[in-house]
């Protein structure tokens, strides 16, 4: 979870992610983790700037051969 997604917007100060959306996201992640666990896998969840968190995770794991990601579309 990138903390920047939960700050106020640049122009009007409204939260980028309101309480209802946040609840939905948390419930969705919890459900995904439980589904993966039933299939013998797991889900890594971290809070922080992705550029820092991913770097730290790669260092922690030690043997990463590829990293896939998507970039958020920013509306102007």
């Amino acid at each position: 979870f990138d903390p920047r997604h939960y700050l106020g917007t640049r122009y009007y100060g409204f939260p980028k992610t309101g309480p209802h959306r946040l609840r939905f996201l948390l419930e969705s992640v919890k459900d995904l983790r439980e589904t993966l666990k039933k299939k013998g896998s797991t889900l890594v969840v971290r809070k922080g700037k992705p550029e820092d968190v991913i770097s730290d995770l790669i260092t922690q794991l030690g043997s990463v051969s590829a990293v896939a990601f998507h970039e958020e579309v920013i509306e102007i």
Side-chain angles (χ1 to χ4, degrees):
F1 290 94
D2 187 341
R4 296 172 289 196
H5 291 190
Y6 307 97
L7 301 173
T9 58
R10 184 179 352 175
Y11 300 108
Y12 303 106
F14 295 113
K16 292 180 183 179
T17 303
H20 299 293
R21 181 172 181 174
L22 179 58
R23 179 184 217 159
F24 172 78
L25 288 171
L26 294 172
E27 289 173 355
S28 298
V29 168
K30 180 181 177 185
D31 183 64
L32 177 58
R33 177 180 270 163
E34 290 170 1
T35 301
L36 289 171
K37 191 174 183 178
K38 289 176 187 173
K39 296 183 180 287
S41 190
T42 189
L43 178 67
V44 176
V45 179
R46 298 286 189 267
K47 176 185 170 192
K49 293 180 179 179
E51 57 270 25
D52 299 331
V53 171
I54 293 170
S55 176
D56 292 344
L57 191 55
I58 290 170
T59 302
Q60 236 179 9
L61 295 173
S63 62
V64 175
S65 59
V67 175
F69 68 94
H70 80 279
E71 185 174 355
E72 180 181 11
V73 176
I74 299 173
E75 295 180 29
I76 298 175

